[in-house]
Amino acid sequence: MSVISFWNESNRESGQTLSIIALATQMAIEHNYRILVIDANFDDPTIEKAFWKPRESKTLQQLTAGKVDISSGAEGLISAIASNKATPEIITNYTRIVYKNRLDILLGLKTRIEEEHEKSMMLYKDLILTANKYYDMVLVDLGKSYKKASSKFILEKSDVIVYVMPPNLMNIDNFKTLRQQDKLIGGKNVLPLLAKSDESSEYNIKNATRYMKEKNIIASIPYNVRFMEATNEARTSDFFTKQKLATGTTVNDTFFNEVERSCQMIMNKLKELRGTR
């Protein structure tokens, strides 16, 4: 059982959420893991839009005569945790299924009041520890603010921290500085990942690896326009499923090969850390 948090200290777009979407979907399809993705971001519909169309929510409202079921989703699970009623098995009642017995997603809290979000996130600490007893992997798309107590706690409890950065000098330098100054980010369980990488960029995977003085080629999620379109149109699961069924070479091979390599790096990191305990 492992908790893997995806994080970047910058409030700017980093490709973090798209990276967790790609890796979680790939792991669910290609590997024998039961995965839970927890959307811990504030007011960000990216994960929901990647898998489900808005009209599905509209249809649900019509079926329930416009009433909102407060017992469903993240809010309902938070209530269960607050009442000490959350168990590993009950968590599945509040998630949405992408692939049965493979990939569940707990969508983000609906509140748009940041103070309320952080108050609820403090209870996510217990949620993640409980979910870790039921799922093989719990992947957390963590909010950007390192100063929040909930974010720091979750990072401290994570088996692996995937630090996601876009391919530019400022972000890479920020990571290098943070790794030197912060004991948590400088730990052996931190895995740097280059998001939206491009081989034509000056800061491609090999150059970024060399610049950061990493021993091995760092993980990456390449920029792929078809993947971007799929996540914007609720076609992510179809995009990955069609690739698995494809025969011969496709225009998306480089993207999927790199996503799989990054999955392997995460799994190898987990094995390495278990071997040192």
Side-chain angles (χ1 to χ4, degrees):
M1 313 296 183
S2 305
V3 176
I4 304 160
S5 289
F6 290 68
W7 184 72
N8 179 293
E9 68 163 346
S10 173
N11 287 322
R12 298 180 181 180
E13 170 59 36
S14 65
Q16 174 182 311
T17 299
L18 292 178
S19 296
I20 198 171
I21 288 170
L23 291 165
T25 309
Q26 178 73 4
M27 284 184 177
I29 289 178
E30 294 292 346
H31 302 280
N32 191 28
Y33 290 119
R34 186 177 178 88
I35 298 169
L36 172 66
V37 171
I38 296 178
D39 182 357
N41 281 300
F42 171 66
D43 193 22
D44 185 352
T46 302
I47 291 181
E48 184 172 14
K49 286 168 55 181
F51 295 102
W52 297 284
K53 294 181 179 180
R55 70 167 179 262
E56 292 183 27
S57 298
K58 184 177 180 181
T59 301
L60 181 60
Q61 287 185 350
Q62 291 172 345
L63 291 173
T64 58
K67 297 178 182 179
V68 178
D69 184 2
I70 61 172
S71 67
S72 64
E75 282 78 6
L77 189 50
I78 286 295
S79 297
I81 293 171
S83 303
N84 293 319
K85 295 179 180 179
T87 66
E89 294 77 12
I90 286 177
I91 289 175
T92 60
N93 295 336
Y94 298 92
T95 61
R96 296 187 71 172
I97 299 171
V98 178
Y99 300 116
K100 189 175 181 180
N101 296 324
R102 282 291 177 269
L103 179 57
D104 295 346
I105 294 180
L106 179 65
L107 295 174
L109 294 159
K110 300 303 180 185
T111 180
R112 293 188 176 181
I113 301 173
E114 197 159 4
E115 292 77 11
E116 288 185 3
H117 186 272
E118 173 61 10
K119 184 178 179 180
S120 294
M121 282 301 300
M122 292 301 292
L123 292 173
Y124 267 53
K125 300 184 300 183
D126 299 323
L127 160 64
I128 290 169
L129 295 177
T130 302
N132 195 30
K133 299 174 183 177
Y134 186 76
Y135 293 90
D136 296 312
M137 290 189 181
V138 178
L139 277 57
V140 186
D141 189 16
L142 200 56
K144 302 293 193 295
S145 179
Y146 191 38
K147 296 178 181 179
K148 291 182 178 179
S150 61
S151 296
K152 189 170 184 180
F153 179 89
I154 293 170
L155 287 172
E156 289 173 346
K157 294 297 181 181
S158 298
D159 296 286
V160 170
I161 298 171
V162 179
Y163 189 95
V164 183
M165 67 196 98
N168 62 61
L169 182 60
M170 182 184 71
N171 283 277
I172 294 172
D173 277 340
N174 284 347
F175 171 68
K176 288 180 66 178
T177 300
L178 194 63
R179 186 165 57 176
Q180 292 171 355
Q181 297 178 351
D182 189 292
K183 184 179 294 186
L184 182 61
I185 304 304
K188 293 181 178 180
N189 67 328
V190 176
L191 193 69
L193 182 147
L194 205 63
K196 297 183 179 180
S197 61
D198 188 335
E199 278 303 299
S200 65
S201 168
E202 181 177 353
Y203 295 97
N204 56 34
I205 308 168
K206 291 182 180 178
N207 289 343
T209 299
R210 190 179 303 112
Y211 182 75
M212 290 191 290
K213 298 181 180 179
E214 291 286 320
K215 293 181 180 179
N216 301 310
I217 299 295
I218 63 173
S220 79
I221 303 296
Y223 177 81
N224 180 284
V225 67
R226 289 173 175 81
F227 171 62
M228 298 292 291
E229 290 170 349
T231 58
N232 284 326
E233 299 169 5
R235 295 187 292 103
T236 302
S237 57
D238 288 341
F239 179 68
F240 278 77
T241 301
K242 287 179 181 178
Q243 179 69 17
K244 182 174 177 60
L245 297 174
T247 57
T249 59
T250 76
V251 295
N252 299 311
D253 284 350
T254 298
F255 171 80
F256 281 101
N257 288 340
E258 197 60 20
V259 171
E260 175 59 22
R261 186 182 71 85
S262 297
C263 286
Q264 291 291 341
M265 289 189 71
I266 291 172
M267 293 185 289
N268 289 341
K269 175 62 72 173
L270 288 167
K271 291 178 182 177
E272 172 194 324
L273 293 169
R274 291 191 187 106
T276 60
R277 290 174 185 172

